[in-house]
Amino acid sequence: MLKVIRECLWFTQEQLAEHLAIDTTTLQGWESGRRPLMAISTGAYLSLRHSLLRFGAQPRLLAQLDMALEADRFVGYVLSAKAERPAAVDHPLASWVITRPFTDLVAWPFTTTAPSGLAGAIRTTGRRGPVATAPALLPDERAHFFKHLKSVAEGADVDRVDGMLLRRQAHYVASFDDSDDTADWLTAMQRTEERRMSRGHEWTPSWAVVRSGAHSLARLGDREGLQHFIRTNLADEVCEIANLNYWAYWLGEINEPQLNDTFMIELKPDTWHGTELLRHLIGKLYSTNPYADVVAHTLWALVMLRPSTLDPRTADDLKEATTRVLEEATVSPQSQRELEAIIYALRMIHRG
């Protein structure tokens, strides 16, 4: 992340080191990970951050740098933990509900997909020699990382709220491993959690685990599982609001960090506006998106709940995306009905 910021400023390592009054080897160590940036003092980090801002670094990238330290802490914790007997009480994934910026950064070494917050920031030309385009872990580190997460998910205390949070988030982060073994493990875990839910139409911590599991499996190609979740587990108002609240938190419309998954049913939907969520969902409404069905359903629920978020431009964009997906006819029958309901709602709003 520090390297991305430096390159956006068009500094070489030597130039930035000179501006920061540090040795070039120190900066090289920070960028390569040989000298963890999180190991420097808080004062030194704030001084670095203020200097980067003064040099012209974008505030959004500095925010990503802050989150990158959190991601480094998490990855470091996992790599230093014993995979066979992981400590669950103080596990980072049991202490807060992770967000999209954090998750994107953690996934970067495994998926090589740049975080969404870095859109347009990564330079792909003008480099000399072989240069890594993403953070990297050694093969044995990757194996340990996913072994640990699987062990944590399986051993989490399902009678505790923080235990279920740990189970859900370890399950989800483990899905960044694209091996067949992990795909089989995710499927087995999903079946176990579905059996744990006593009544599918009510919200429980297991509901949250199944929701994440359905999304993980959809990313790996199982869209039917996500469609089944929408049909059976988003059938009442409480679960519908829980889904919307989670989306709002995931995308930053709910700014306060949440300690456990119960916020999904405890927060009132009027605590967030919905404009950012609506724009995001419209951008994700396309047939090849593995999450297309849940995007369509969440759009439908959001439009029904809060039509005031539809300014004329957003309404036009929504109509265009909805019409396109309906014409391609690749989403589930339920999604088609919900998209048709959106088109009808847009007509009524326009008439009004």
Side-chain angles (χ1 to χ4, degrees):
M1 190 62 240
L2 181 61
K3 180 164 70 72
V4 170
I5 294 174
R6 173 179 60 77
E7 291 181 341
C8 284
L9 295 173
W10 296 94
F11 283 152
T12 64
Q13 288 181 332
E14 292 76 15
Q15 289 169 333
L16 181 56
E18 182 179 354
H19 282 299
L20 294 172
I22 61 175
D23 292 335
T24 301
T25 54
T26 297
L27 180 60
Q28 291 172 340
W30 288 343
E31 291 191 1
S32 68
R34 292 193 306 273
R35 296 184 178 184
L37 187 57
M38 63 187 299
I40 68 176
S41 69
T42 302
Y45 176 71
L46 291 176
S47 177
L48 168 65
R49 200 181 188 284
H50 294 159
S51 295
L52 293 172
L53 183 63
R54 188 172 67 252
F55 300 153
Q58 300 176 42
R60 71 180 179 94
L61 296 183
L62 292 177
Q64 289 283 316
L65 181 63
D66 294 342
M67 188 59 70
L69 292 182
E70 184 75 31
D72 274 355
R73 172 180 172 271
F74 167 64
V75 173
Y77 176 95
V78 172
L79 294 181
S80 63
K82 292 183 179 180
E84 309 80 35
R85 302 187 53 152
V89 177
D90 59 348
H91 199 286
L93 292 182
S95 62
W96 70 303
V97 182
I98 59 179
T99 61
R100 186 190 187 197
F102 172 85
T103 307
D104 280 356
L105 284 163
V106 169
W108 198 3
F110 307 107
T111 65
T112 69
T113 300
S116 56
L118 302 190
I122 296 181
R123 289 173 53 195
T124 57
T125 59
R127 295 172 172 175
R128 293 176 296 176
V131 179
T133 58
L137 295 177
L138 297 173
D140 61 331
E141 292 175 326
R142 291 173 62 100
H144 176 90
F145 185 87
F146 292 116
K147 182 179 181 182
H148 169 88
L149 291 175
K150 292 174 183 178
S151 182
V152 161
E154 293 171 356
D157 187 347
V158 297
D159 294 322
R160 294 173 54 93
V161 173
D162 57 352
M164 289 301 288
L165 175 66
L166 175 58
R167 184 178 178 87
R168 178 179 72 79
Q169 298 194 141
H171 180 280
Y172 184 77
V173 177
S175 70
F176 296 133
D177 180 18
D178 58 2
S179 70
D180 291 338
D181 288 345
T182 295
D184 293 340
W185 177 82
L186 289 168
T187 300
M189 286 289 290
Q190 185 73 345
R191 290 172 180 165
T192 298
E193 210 58 51
E194 287 174 342
R195 289 193 296 269
R196 191 185 306 281
M197 288 192 298
S198 57
R199 300 179 67 182
H201 64 278
E202 292 183 351
W203 191 94
T204 65
S206 281
W207 180 95
V209 179
V210 171
R211 180 191 182 280
S212 287
H215 283 70
S216 298
L217 291 172
R219 187 172 66 246
L220 298 177
D222 178 13
R223 292 178 64 161
E224 291 184 3
L226 187 54
Q227 293 167 4
H228 174 75
F229 174 82
I230 295 168
R231 288 194 308 270
T232 60
N233 302 117
L234 286 177
D236 78 340
E237 183 178 358
V238 172
C239 293
E240 202 72 80
I241 294 300
N243 180 57
L244 287 170
N245 277 340
Y246 186 82
W247 273 101
Y249 178 78
W250 179 252
L251 296 173
E253 289 220 29
I254 298 172
N255 294 317
E256 298 79 10
Q258 301 298 319
L259 299 182
N260 56 64
D261 284 334
T262 59
F263 84 93
M264 298 183 198
I265 57 171
E266 293 173 347
L267 288 183
K268 302 296 183 182
D270 57 6
T271 58
W272 47 271
H273 188 269
T275 303
E276 184 177 347
L277 173 56
L278 183 62
R279 295 297 311 179
H280 173 83
L281 292 171
I282 293 172
K284 294 297 182 180
L285 186 58
Y286 51 89
S287 297
T288 56
N289 183 355
Y291 307 132
D293 291 294
V294 76
V295 167
H297 178 83
T298 307
L299 268 171
W300 168 80
L302 182 59
V303 170
M304 298 302 114
L305 176 71
R306 196 162 297 159
S308 59
T309 57
L310 285 166
D311 59 74
R313 179 181 174 183
T314 302
D316 288 343
D317 291 343
L318 176 57
K319 181 179 179 181
E320 179 183 349
T322 301
T323 302
R324 181 181 64 251
V325 173
L326 281 172
E327 290 174 349
E328 292 169 349
T330 57
V331 293
S332 70
Q334 178 175 342
S335 294
Q336 292 180 36
R337 292 192 298 270
E338 290 168 344
L339 293 176
E340 289 167 353
I342 290 175
I343 294 291
Y344 179 77
L346 291 173
R347 290 173 183 162
M348 294 300 100
I349 293 172
H350 179 71
R351 288 179 183 178

